[in-house]
Amino acid sequence: ALANWLPLAAATLGLVVPLAMLALARTAGGPFAFPLDDAWIHLQYARNLAAHGAFTYFPGDPSTTGSTAPLFTLLEALAFKLTRNEFAIGLCLGLAAHALFLWALARWAWRRLGHAGWAALAVALVALDGRFGMLAASGMETSLFFAGIALAFLAWSEDDALAAGLALGLATGVRPEALLLAGVFAIDAAIARHAPRRWRAGLAALAVLVPAYAIFNRVTGGAAFPNTLAAKAAFYAGRPFAQFLRDDIGATFAAAWLGLVPFAIVQAAVELRRRFARRTGGKAATPAAAARHGLAEIGWASALPLAYAVVLPFSHRF
């Protein structure tokens, strides 16, 4: 029974990391502040939305989509109704999203690995990566996006298309990359020849939430996606793919993660072999089999870097 608490204990450990970072920075004489100016951009839009009801950077200006994450900014605007402390708003939202992400990750890992100890190890590997802790304390929307993606994977592993659709629809309002995962799930279901539970309701959820996001961007910025995406895509369009592969993909999986990459590649090959062997055998996957084999995880790990390579070959230092 004690072992059943291990994944949640590892998730709790993940909350200690960003708090320890803040304490160490303060002890070293640094201020309580965010590492990127983008966090203050979100807060500026949120303050004006709360005070003036307009999605603007300066009060009285025309609306723009300068904040890439409208759902995150809306949550910050709601928080402004409770407090005027900008740092507290950004930090508390980041920590809450980080906690939700780690909880969903623990549930997903337990379901996929079938063992509390292995699930706890998987969560600990993420929780102790300083980049996740820094993002949780950065005032940025990234931890909320992680939470949405983890909840979508958890729902998909439970064969629940409605919960996955709701998670992806809301995650799209945080970052548009979530649309890629919707496509990955569709391909996964087609290859498995298995329609997950409540798939019609899941499609309906996406059909409502994704157009709502596009309409919001269209009304405020004149395009279906945030203006910031077009600006950054134009700025980095000429960056060589080799440089992106070395400096961005390489840096993401560097250090200790590099030791796990061979295991991930081997396991991906095993998963693909099992899935396509089932397909050529003429039998559709049962829900239990669909939950065991991780073609969707492989698809997401491949699709996201490829999409960045084509559209925006720059992943930033985080």
Side-chain angles (χ1 to χ4, degrees):
L2 181 61
N4 293 340
W5 290 94
L6 286 175
L8 290 180
T12 303
L13 177 65
L15 289 177
V16 175
V17 172
L19 294 175
M21 286 180 167
L22 289 171
L24 288 171
R26 187 63 174 169
T27 302
F32 280 127
F34 296 127
L36 290 175
D37 61 344
D38 300 64
W40 302 108
I41 295 173
H42 287 317
L43 287 164
Q44 180 74 1
Y45 273 86
R47 184 192 302 107
N48 288 332
L49 183 59
H52 307 288
F55 206 74
T56 61
Y57 188 78
F58 291 108
D61 277 4
S63 296
T64 61
T65 50
S67 174
T68 312
L71 179 57
F72 181 74
T73 305
L74 175 60
L75 293 176
E76 288 190 323
L78 293 174
F80 265 109
K81 299 296 185 179
L82 302 176
T83 178
R84 308 297 294 177
N85 189 318
E86 299 169 319
F87 183 75
I89 290 173
L91 179 61
C92 289
L93 276 177
L95 291 176
H98 191 52
L100 180 58
F101 161 59
L102 292 173
W103 174 84
L105 177 65
R107 288 283 306 275
W108 168 84
W110 198 344
R111 183 169 181 80
R112 290 281 286 111
L113 300 174
H115 188 279
W118 286 115
L121 177 60
V123 175
L125 286 172
V126 173
L128 294 175
D129 187 326
R131 294 173 295 182
F132 289 94
M134 185 178 292
L135 284 168
S138 70
M140 295 294 291
E141 80 283 355
T142 323
S143 293
L144 186 60
F145 179 71
F146 290 157
I149 295 301
L151 287 169
F153 269 114
L154 174 60
W156 196 249
S157 73
E158 295 174 344
D159 201 47
D160 189 347
L162 174 57
L166 289 170
L168 286 178
L170 293 173
T172 301
V174 180
R175 294 190 68 88
E177 295 97 311
L179 289 173
L180 292 171
L181 187 53
V184 168
F185 283 166
I187 294 171
D188 184 35
I191 292 176
R193 289 185 286 185
H194 167 73
R197 292 186 300 111
R198 305 197 290 178
W199 67 271
R200 291 184 179 85
L203 284 177
L206 284 175
V208 171
L209 293 172
V210 173
Y213 165 76
I215 291 170
F216 174 85
N217 289 326
R218 185 76 180 179
V219 170
T220 55
F225 291 101
N227 300 145
T228 48
L229 174 60
K232 290 189 176 183
F235 187 82
Y236 293 109
R239 195 161 184 254
F241 176 74
Q243 184 179 358
F244 172 74
L245 189 64
R246 181 186 69 249
D247 296 344
D248 297 85
I249 303 299
T252 298
F253 297 102
W257 289 106
L258 192 61
L260 295 178
V261 170
F263 296 96
I265 294 174
V266 170
Q267 183 62 20
V270 171
E271 298 278 12
L272 289 170
R273 181 177 177 276
R274 288 174 178 171
R275 177 59 64 88
F276 285 102
R278 178 174 291 104
R279 179 174 175 82
T280 55
K283 296 180 180 180
T286 63
R292 280 197 304 269
H293 301 302
L295 191 60
E297 288 86 344
I298 298 169
W300 172 246
S302 305
L304 186 63
L306 286 173
Y308 265 88
V310 173
V311 179
L312 179 59
F314 188 66
S315 67
H316 208 274
R317 59 188 173 193
F318 293 135

